[in-house]
């Protein structure tokens, strides 16, 4: 039987986790969603996950995907979560408080690992970006299937807009906050993708995040001259990738 590990995806507004059959890239049972606790401190966030029955039911290492740069096991930035995460070594905390081992990695990198292995990026070669369009914009860069972690391209300055970062211009949250219709939002997204195209010359963009559920309404409006694919794994991608990382002991 394919090993089944817990994959956790921490976001600014919700935490998603699931039991994942890592060799099939599939959620077993339900994807559990909890509101991110306030304040979203390490103790509150990890406490919320670890006190859920699924955390004890899933034995073995667990994967934690997180909206931050993770270097040598430590959170080096903290976007959309409490600043007390800065410098935190989540694996050490898990081991000390709950006696568990695991993997700790950026959320978009986790979603990217899952999409490349089991989703829209299966078999894609060359330069591939997996972008998650949600509260922020997450990016995962793959070159011939290999992840270059922590690219943080949601913080890229948008060409022609002084002091405006890509995610403050074109995230799904911005669309909702400003009440943008699909064409207006896609025009913004296109500008971000065009900038990435100009700088990296990617072969494929894979677009994920909650808004990709409505890809049929807006995907055809994109004009960037690069192949664009809708992410295939839906809201579970980050949790699936986190569990894969735990299984493979991937720690950037
Ligand atoms: C963070 C990234 C994260 C992305 C999506 C950005 O604000 O800096 O680390 O991957 O949001 O959550």
């Amino acid at each position: 039987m394919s090993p089944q590990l817990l994959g956790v995806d921490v976001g600014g507004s919700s935490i998603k986790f699931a039991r994942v059959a890592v060799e099939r890239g599939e959620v077993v049972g339900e994807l559990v969603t909890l509101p991110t606790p306030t304040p979203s401190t390490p103790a509150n966030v990890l406490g919320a996950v670890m006190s859920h029955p699924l955390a004890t039911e899933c034995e073995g290492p667990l994967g934690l995907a997180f909206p931050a740069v993770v270097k040598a096991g430590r959170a080096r930035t903290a976007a959309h979560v409490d600043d007390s995460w800065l410098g935190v070594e989540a694996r050490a905390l898990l081991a000390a408080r709950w006696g568990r081992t695991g993997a700790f990695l950026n959320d978009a990198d986790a979603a990217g690992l899952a999409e490349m292995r089991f989703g829209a990026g299966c078999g894609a070669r060359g330069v591939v970006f997996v972008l998650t369009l949600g509260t922020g914009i997450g990016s995962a860069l793959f070159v011939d299937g290999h992840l270059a972690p922590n690219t943080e391209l949601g913080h890229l300055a948008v060409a022609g807009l002084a002091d405006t970062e890509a995610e403050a211009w074109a995230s799904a949250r911005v669309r909702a906050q400003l009440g943008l219709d699909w064409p207006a939002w896609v025009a913004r997204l296109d500008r971000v993708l065009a900038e990435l195209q100009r700088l990296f010359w990617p072969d494929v963009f894979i677009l994920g995040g909650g808004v990709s559920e409505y890809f049929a309404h807006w995907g055809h409006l994109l004009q960037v001259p690069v192949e664009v694919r809708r992410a295939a794994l839906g809201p579970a991608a980050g949790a699936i990738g986190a569990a894969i990382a735990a299984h493979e002991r991937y720690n950037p």
Side-chain angles (χ1 to χ4, degrees):
M1 190 175 75
S2 171
Q4 299 189 347
L5 302 183
L6 184 68
V8 182
D9 184 8
V10 177
S13 52
S14 67
I15 306 175
K16 301 187 196 76
F17 50 100
R19 176 195 290 275
V20 176
V22 291
E23 285 168 2
R24 297 200 312 269
E26 282 171 14
V27 167
V28 179
E30 277 187 17
L31 178 69
V32 180
T33 305
L34 299 179
T36 305
T38 316
S40 52
T41 56
N44 286 351
V45 168
L46 294 181
V49 173
M50 298 311 289
S51 59
H52 192 278
L54 195 57
T56 20
E57 283 164 26
C58 293
E59 292 171 0
L62 60 95
L64 195 60
F66 196 71
V69 169
V70 179
K71 281 295 255 188
R74 278 181 204 278
R76 300 291 296 275
T77 62
H80 324 299
V81 284
D82 197 80
D83 278 351
S84 56
W85 277 93
L86 289 172
V88 165
E89 225 180 323
R91 277 181 299 157
L93 202 58
L94 277 173
R97 293 269 279 274
W98 291 279
R100 301 284 294 261
T101 59
F104 184 40
L105 74 166
N106 173 264
D107 57 356
D109 285 345
L113 285 175
E115 287 291 342
M116 292 300 286
R117 192 77 57 88
F118 298 106
C122 247
R125 308 308 290 169
V127 176
V128 179
F129 275 116
V130 179
L131 300 177
T132 59
L133 308 167
T135 311
I137 294 182
S139 60
L141 168 62
F142 292 84
V143 179
D144 285 340
H146 296 288
L147 172 63
N150 292 312
T151 43
E152 292 292 308
L153 290 168
H155 299 288
L156 187 76
V158 181
L161 296 175
D163 297 332
T164 304
E165 292 187 343
E167 71 177 25
W169 174 251
S171 69
R173 174 164 71 177
V174 167
R175 187 187 82 83
Q177 275 174 345
L178 301 184
L180 300 175
D181 60 15
W182 294 121
W185 175 69
V186 165
R188 287 178 171 228
L189 181 61
D190 234 352
R191 198 154 163 180
V192 171
L193 298 184
E195 187 64 357
L196 292 177
Q197 196 268 335
R198 187 175 76 85
L199 297 173
F200 294 90
W201 289 83
D203 297 289
V204 182
F205 284 120
I206 295 173
L207 302 182
V211 76
S212 63
E213 203 182 311
Y214 308 103
F215 191 79
H217 296 278
W218 56 267
H220 62 284
L221 300 172
L222 287 165
Q223 299 200 351
V224 67
V226 177
E227 182 188 349
V228 176
R229 301 183 191 172
R230 172 188 190 263
L233 301 177
I240 294 172
I244 293 170
H247 183 55
E248 298 179 359
R249 304 283 194 274
Y250 175 79
N251 277 296

